[in-house]
């Protein structure tokens, strides 16, 4: 069996030297870890992810409220509810497509700032909605903003972060998205659905204000020939006392070697197509685990199963667990490594999805379907089975299984797929490829979210969870065979690794 490339001994395997020779730049990078400005720039950018996470789960408390609305213009039928839940992902796909152009045209920072326009307009439409079309348009616009930021923010963060903390900072987009979702769940216990949309405007405005004072990515500036501005940006990010010339020269050399945009003919080269394929497949598998339909219909899922606690409380608890899990991932990503967390994440999600599917298939059923969002169906289980009251500790299983699923996702396949996408994509193709990954990801999410309710109505709620469990097994195999370990490596080292042409994906 061939030895792994990463960490191997010998002169032929020095792409990622474990102990590089001392250089003046080492001191600069150590000093960069103590610099607070890069954290401030990261925080300003990831406020866009907060808004994205908030908008993604907006339908969780709103669908149950609108299905009982006395206003005939706002009352949702089963079909309308499925569109209201899934149209966000269509907007996100369009946002990812636009990022393929804007990421390289405007730059990472300005693209993030541009996302505030459709986001603010979308929240305003939903807050003042007096018909279904305003709800759908508002949801589409917030989805567009989410897809744009999902493609731009990880790239921006990875390009401004020092290697030693890139894992922790790379987890912050997912962390803020989770915090945004939790905020929505918490506010959903207190505010009516219109005011939930009004509250969504606040992080967008704060993001615009803070980003106005932040620099653009030094790598992007160098790629546009703005060398002096890039040096000033890097010096600001690393601190005035840091010697940034070594790091600047490394970045400058890498950018010069890739001064032109990648052509379609070059995409077939292994050092370009392999990292793109890894990033793209990771984004597809991330969505196929079922995270988006579960989050979008979370409260309705709890409404339709025998649970001990009120569905609103269950949704808020799951949101809190998700936030805690992403915090754990952020703290351990640069210690345990990416691959270990991906393995643990996929294993936990498999067990959780399988448990939830088995509980729905064999466990007790609620006294009556509580949701009219389309989750209820006479085809669920055996019609001859008597309806059971949700009592006893057994009815905690849906909550616990969902908590473990969210925990597993948030520890690995949630934040790491975004981080690895920004790490492994070659610089020349980073803007276009990241947009392509987000486009494919959200088109997959749309198909899953739109088909979730019809599949449940036709075959039962357990069937999607069995499918998600099978995908988690595929994710385990994919991680072992195709995902490289990037912990502690600079973006230039990672790109050099893919250029070796060796069988570096086979472990």
């Amino acid at each position: 069996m061939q030895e792994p490339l990463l960490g191997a001994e010998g002169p032929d395997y020095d792409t990622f030297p474990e102990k590089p020779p001392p250089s003046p730049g080492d001191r600069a990078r150590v000093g960069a870890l103590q610099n607070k400005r890069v954290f401030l720039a990261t925080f300003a950018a990831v406020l866009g992810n907060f808004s994205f996470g908030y908008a993604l789960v907006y339908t969780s408390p709103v669908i149950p409220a609108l299905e009982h609305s006395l206003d005939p213009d706002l009352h949702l039928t089963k079909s309308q509810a499925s569109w209201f839940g899934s149209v966000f992902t269509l907007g996100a796909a369009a946002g990812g497509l636009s990022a393929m152009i804007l990421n390289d045209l405007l730059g990472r920072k300005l693209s993030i700032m541009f996302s505030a326009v459709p986001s603010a307009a979308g929240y305003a439409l939903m807050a003042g909605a007096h018909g279904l079309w305003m709800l759908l348009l508002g949801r589409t616009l917030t989805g567009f903003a989410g897809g744009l930021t999902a493609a731009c923010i990880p790239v921006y963060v990875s390009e401004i972060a020092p290697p030693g903390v890139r894992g922790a900072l790379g987890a912050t987009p997912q962390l803020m998205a989770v915090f945004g979702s939790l905020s929505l769940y918490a506010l959903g216990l207190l505010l009516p659905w219109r005011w939930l949309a009004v509250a969504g405007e606040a992080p967008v405005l704060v993001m615009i204000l803070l980003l106005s004072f932040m620099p653009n990515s030094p790598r992007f500036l160098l790629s546009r020939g703005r060398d002096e501005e890039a040096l000033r940006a890097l010096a600001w990010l690393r601190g005035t006392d840091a010697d940034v010339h070594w790091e600047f020269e490394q970045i400058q050399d890498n950018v010069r070697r890739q001064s032109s945009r990648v052509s379609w003919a070059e995409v077939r080269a292994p050092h370009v197509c392999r990292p793109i394929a890894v990033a793209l497949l990771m984004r597809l598998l991330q969505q196929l685990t079922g995270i988006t339909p579960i989050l979008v219909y979370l409260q309705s899922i709890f409404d339709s199963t025998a649970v001990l606690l009120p569905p609103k409380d269950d949704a808020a608890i799951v949101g809190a667990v998700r936030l805690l899990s992403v915090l754990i991932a952020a703290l351990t990503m640069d210690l345990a490594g990416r691959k270990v967390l991906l393995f643990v994440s996929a294993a936990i999600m498999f067990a959780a999805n399988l448990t939830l599917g088995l509980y729905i298939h064999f466990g007790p059923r609620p006294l009556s379907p509580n949701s009219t969002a389309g989750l209820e169906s006479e085809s669920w289980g055996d019609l001859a089975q008597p309806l059971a009251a949700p009592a006893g500790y057994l009815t905690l299983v849906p909550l616990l299984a969902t908590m473990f699923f969210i925990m597993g996702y948030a520890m690995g396949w949630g934040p790491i797929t975004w981080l690895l996408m920004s790490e492994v994509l070659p610089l020349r193709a980073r803007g276009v490829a990241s947009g392509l990954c987000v486009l494919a990801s959200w088109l997959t999410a749309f198909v899953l979210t739109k088909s979730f309710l019809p599949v449940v109505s036709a075959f039962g709620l357990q069937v999607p969870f069995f499918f998600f469990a099978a995908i988690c097994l595929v994710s385990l195999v994919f991680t072992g065979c195709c995902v490289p370990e990037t912990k502690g490596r600079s973006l230039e080292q990672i790109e050099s690794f893919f250029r070796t042409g060796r069988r570096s994906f086979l472990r």
Side-chain angles (χ1 to χ4, degrees):
M1 180 180 297
Q2 184 172 349
E3 293 296 322
L5 175 60
L6 299 185
E9 302 292 338
D12 293 333
Y13 292 89
D14 60 350
T15 304
F16 286 169
E18 292 295 334
K19 295 182 180 180
S23 67
D26 292 336
R27 292 191 298 271
R29 282 180 289 172
V30 172
L33 302 182
Q34 309 300 323
N35 187 264
K36 296 180 180 179
R37 293 178 178 177
V38 70
F39 298 105
L40 177 61
T42 299
F43 174 75
V46 298
L47 282 172
N49 288 97
F50 180 96
S51 182
F52 164 68
Y54 188 97
L56 174 64
V57 301
Y58 178 75
T59 53
S60 181
V62 174
I63 284 178
L66 291 181
E67 45 182 48
H68 296 104
S69 174
L70 299 179
D71 186 347
D73 294 329
L74 294 174
H75 180 78
L76 295 183
T77 64
K78 179 172 65 174
S79 176
Q80 291 169 340
S82 69
W83 276 109
F84 186 45
S86 60
V87 74
F88 178 92
T89 58
L90 277 184
L97 184 63
S98 67
M100 297 172 66
I101 300 174
L102 296 178
N103 225 347
D104 289 328
L105 181 64
L106 300 179
R108 290 47 159 151
K109 189 188 84 165
L110 290 180
S111 296
I112 299 169
M113 296 179 70
F114 175 77
S115 71
V117 176
S119 182
Y123 283 126
L125 279 169
M126 290 188 290
H130 52 74
L132 179 63
W133 71 271
M134 296 183 70
L135 291 173
L136 295 180
L137 180 57
R139 186 105 170 107
T140 303
L141 287 173
T142 54
F144 180 90
L148 181 58
T149 56
C152 300
I153 292 176
V155 176
Y156 178 75
V157 172
S158 71
E159 290 186 351
I160 67 173
V165 293
R166 197 175 59 246
L169 293 183
T172 54
Q174 180 69 15
L175 177 64
M176 288 300 285
V178 170
F179 189 58
S181 298
L182 177 60
S183 300
L184 185 281
Y185 291 136
L187 290 175
L189 301 174
L190 306 172
L191 299 178
W193 64 272
R194 290 187 187 275
W195 283 101
L196 289 177
V198 173
E201 302 277 9
V204 178
L205 299 177
V206 176
M207 179 192 72
I208 285 288
L209 179 64
L210 290 180
L211 274 180
S212 300
F213 300 98
M214 299 300 117
N216 214 322
S217 160
R219 286 174 175 83
F220 169 77
L221 294 173
L222 280 170
S223 70
R224 291 296 177 267
R226 296 150 65 179
D227 292 21
E228 292 185 4
E229 188 179 349
L231 181 59
R232 289 197 301 270
L234 187 62
W236 188 91
L237 290 166
R238 301 297 183 258
T240 54
D241 296 331
D243 180 9
V244 299
H245 288 88
W246 181 86
E247 184 179 2
F248 181 78
E249 290 173 0
Q250 293 292 107
I251 299 172
Q252 191 176 45
D253 180 65
N254 184 261
V255 170
R256 282 174 179 170
R257 286 189 283 107
Q258 306 181 66
S259 57
S260 61
R261 291 187 179 183
V262 66
S263 65
W264 286 111
E266 291 176 297
V267 169
R268 295 194 296 269
H271 70 277
V272 177
C273 69
R274 285 183 179 179
I276 292 177
V278 169
L280 184 60
L281 288 172
M282 287 198 73
R283 300 296 301 126
L284 292 176
L285 288 173
Q286 182 202 50
Q287 288 294 342
L288 289 173
T289 59
I291 183 63
T292 301
I294 289 175
L295 290 177
V296 168
Y297 301 117
L298 183 60
Q299 186 172 323
S300 297
I301 291 172
F302 285 137
D303 276 333
S304 304
T305 54
V307 291
L308 187 62
L309 300 176
K312 275 192 175 183
D313 294 346
D314 285 338
I317 292 172
V318 168
V321 169
R322 188 178 172 211
L323 177 63
L324 177 62
S325 302
V326 175
L327 281 171
I328 294 173
L331 295 175
T332 59
M333 202 177 297
D334 284 317
L335 299 175
R338 282 54 155 166
K339 291 192 70 166
V340 172
L341 290 178
L342 287 175
F343 277 124
V344 173
S345 171
I348 293 175
M349 288 193 295
F350 166 74
N353 275 322
L354 183 62
T355 300
L356 192 52
L358 291 174
Y359 174 84
I360 294 169
H361 188 68
F362 295 108
R365 300 171 63 198
L367 280 173
S368 61
N370 299 315
S371 172
T372 59
L375 286 176
E376 77 282 356
S377 172
E378 291 184 352
S379 64
W380 284 24
D382 184 3
L383 291 178
Q385 179 183 356
L387 296 177
Y393 292 111
L394 182 63
T395 53
L396 284 173
V397 170
L399 173 61
L400 294 176
T402 307
M403 285 171 56
F404 274 103
F405 171 79
I406 296 296
M407 181 187 302
Y409 174 83
M411 286 178 60
W413 278 87
I416 293 179
T417 50
W418 292 108
L419 173 62
L420 276 172
M421 180 187 75
S422 60
E423 286 183 327
V424 304
L425 292 176
L427 177 63
R428 293 174 63 190
R430 192 166 294 158
V432 173
S434 62
L436 176 64
C437 289
V438 172
L439 172 65
S441 172
W442 288 111
L443 285 178
T444 305
F446 170 75
V447 172
L448 286 176
T449 310
K450 186 67 180 72
S451 61
F452 185 81
L453 298 182
V455 168
V456 168
S457 297
F459 304 105
L461 183 58
Q462 71 277 9
V463 171
F465 289 103
F466 288 145
F467 172 77
F468 300 151
I471 293 297
C472 293
L473 288 180
V474 176
S475 301
L476 280 169
V477 177
F478 176 80
T479 300
C481 296
C482 301
V483 179
E485 180 57 74
T486 60
K487 179 184 71 172
R489 315 300 179 185
S490 70
L491 298 183
E492 287 68 38
Q493 286 177 316
I494 296 170
E495 193 157 330
S496 178
F497 163 67
F498 281 106
R499 283 181 176 274
T500 61
R502 297 182 173 90
R503 291 164 57 84
S504 47
F505 291 107
L506 300 182
R507 297 287 187 267

